[in-house]
Amino acid sequence: MLSSVRLIRRTVRLVHSPVCNPSRSFMDLKVLVSSLNDFASLSLAESWDNVGLLVEPSPPHTVHTLFLTIDLTEQVMEEALQKKVDLILSYHPPIFRPLKHITWKTWKERLVIRALENRVGIYSPHTAYDASPQGVNSWLAKGLGVCTSRPIHPSKAPTYPTVGTHRVEFSVNSTEDLDKVISAVKEIADVSVTSFSTRTDDEEQTRISLNCSQEALMQVVAFLSQSRQFYQKTEILSLEKPLLLHAGMGRLCTLDESVSLATMIERIKRHLKLPHVRLALGVGRTLESPVKVVALCAGSGSKVLQGTEADLYLAGEMSHHDVLDAASQGITVILCEHSNTERGFLSDLRDMLRAHLENKIDIILSEADRDPLCVV
């Protein structure tokens, strides 16, 4: 006799806990910030800017997910919290002017409160990425076509090649004077001394060269002014930091082959994924005028582009009068709104950071981030 067997189907739901997932990589916040600073040195940022780690949860803080945005608005913050990110890289610093209090009154204060309450850090690179060789301006130049480019305003090396910011040089005639001078200046902090023999008007002299800091300079001058012989022969040189050839603000781009303005407009719109741009034709120019040299600056371009010789200025925004000045010189201006010249860079940045960080963390882009201005 055969017995019947009834099969009962059951649905088993697997619950994945992100905390217990051993395959999910992470980085300590301090290690991650150090790596971000290595990717693009904060020394490239403008002196007026506010860059680096702006909001830090109490340590230790582990980062599983890095969230990229151009602007950190309240809508973007809500998206970041829903996606449970650990660190927000906001291109523009949400804290720029000093905050006198942290209350619920203003939207920027609320951003700080919500970040700390939810243990989310905030990091901003801003003008460090503007100036970086692999930064936003280099990305913007990719949309022009095949070209060579260089910074309009090159950055300077973060440190001087020699000790000090100034060099003081003078001559002494006697060994007695030489010993006296060297003994005195060695007592001044932040001064390095070298000497070498010279001949002036058939007279043997010893040339003294001092490298010193701004603070030490006044002490050196005070000492030398005690002797008319020394002081009348003193030269003071201001030492400049070396220029960095591939880093700096803006880009001056020379196309391998000139194209019509109409063609360039279409290239820019395609690169930025924009249906329209704003155009100010230079005096005497038409849509068929050739474009060979383009000066560009992502974001605000007035100060960076001013005075640069080019066929075309490309920027996010410029002041009304700066546009008039450029057009009067026969320079055409294309404006795309501030963050529209930056946002597309985030996809490239994500890929570069994944490689730089060796895929140790997840890196995602904001979907709520957008330029506040639109055409209606």
Side-chain angles (χ1 to χ4, degrees), residues 114-286:
R114 297 202 72 190
L116 290 174
E117 285 180 340
N118 291 276
R119 293 190 57 76
V120 175
I122 301 175
Y123 179 94
S124 177
H126 200 204
T127 51
Y129 281 11
D130 286 350
S132 171
Q134 72 271 30
V136 66
N137 283 305
S138 296
W139 168 82
L140 186 57
K142 290 180 181 179
L144 304 179
V146 181
C147 64
T148 57
S149 67
R150 62 174 178 82
I152 297 174
H153 301 285
S155 298
K156 293 182 179 180
T159 57
Y160 292 90
T162 58
V163 176
T165 60
H166 291 78
R167 178 169 295 159
V168 181
E169 293 189 352
F170 56 95
S171 298
V172 295
N173 296 324
S174 67
T175 303
E176 181 180 348
D177 288 337
L178 177 62
D179 293 339
K180 175 184 176 182
V181 169
I182 291 180
S183 176
V185 296
K186 282 186 175 180
E187 296 297 319
I188 302 174
D190 299 325
V191 173
S192 63
V193 185
T194 58
S195 61
F196 51 94
S197 298
T198 62
R199 176 178 290 273
T200 304
D201 298 329
D202 294 328
E203 182 181 5
E204 286 287 344
Q205 293 183 331
T206 300
R207 191 71 174 168
I208 304 296
S209 179
L210 311 177
N211 280 11
C212 60
S213 65
Q214 178 72 47
E215 294 75 16
L217 176 62
M218 297 308 297
Q219 298 181 59
V220 172
V221 170
F223 166 73
L224 293 176
S225 62
Q226 296 173 14
S227 171
R228 185 176 180 181
Q229 173 193 353
F230 297 152
Y231 199 53
Q232 286 184 338
K233 299 179 181 180
T234 297
E235 294 179 345
I236 301 177
L237 308 174
S238 178
L239 301 180
E240 289 287 335
K241 297 176 181 178
L243 298 179
L244 302 177
L245 296 181
H246 303 294
M249 294 301 162
R251 293 293 183 271
L252 187 64
C253 307
T254 303
L255 299 173
D256 285 8
E257 296 183 7
S258 61
V259 297
S260 69
L261 175 59
T263 298
M264 181 57 67
I265 291 172
E266 291 307 311
R267 287 182 180 180
I268 292 169
K269 289 163 66 175
R270 183 166 57 249
H271 185 58
L272 300 182
K273 298 180 173 59
L274 294 175
H276 56 264
V277 294
R278 292 193 287 162
L279 174 69
L281 280 172
V283 172
R285 307 301 180 190
T286 70

Side-chain angles (χ1 to χ4, degrees), residues 88-136:
I88 298 172
L89 187 153
S90 176
Y91 197 92
H92 294 142
I95 304 173
F96 189 72
R97 297 181 180 88
L99 298 175
K100 294 185 177 181
H101 37 64
I102 306 294
T103 69
W104 205 248
K105 186 175 181 179
T106 67
W107 70 276
K108 289 194 173 183
E109 293 174 58
R110 291 194 292 271
L111 288 177
V112 176
I113 292 171
R114 297 202 72 190
L116 290 174
E117 285 180 340
N118 291 276
R119 293 190 57 76
V120 175
I122 301 175
Y123 179 94
S124 177
H126 200 204
T127 51
Y129 281 11
D130 286 350
S132 171
Q134 72 271 30
V136 66

Side-chain angles (χ1 to χ4, degrees), residues 278-283 302 306 313 315 317-335:
R278 292 193 287 162
L279 174 69
L281 280 172
V283 172
S302 285
Q306 192 173 42
Y313 284 177
E317 59 180 322
M318 288 174 59
S319 76
H320 174 77
H321 294 286
D322 286 334
V323 173
L324 290 178
D325 286 343
S328 72
Q329 300 170 55
I331 301 172
T332 296
V333 178
I334 293 178
L335 303 179

Side-chain angles (χ1 to χ4, degrees), residues 57-76:
S58 58
H61 184 63
T62 299
V63 177
H64 296 275
T65 303
L66 174 63
F67 181 80
L68 308 185
T69 184
I70 294 295
D71 291 307
L72 182 55
T73 62
E74 290 191 278
Q75 292 78 13
V76 172

Side-chain angles (χ1 to χ4, degrees), residues 278-295:
R278 292 193 287 162
L279 174 69
L281 280 172
V283 172
R285 307 301 180 190
T286 70
L287 291 177
E288 297 308 314
S289 294
V291 174
K292 179 71 172 180
V293 179
V294 180

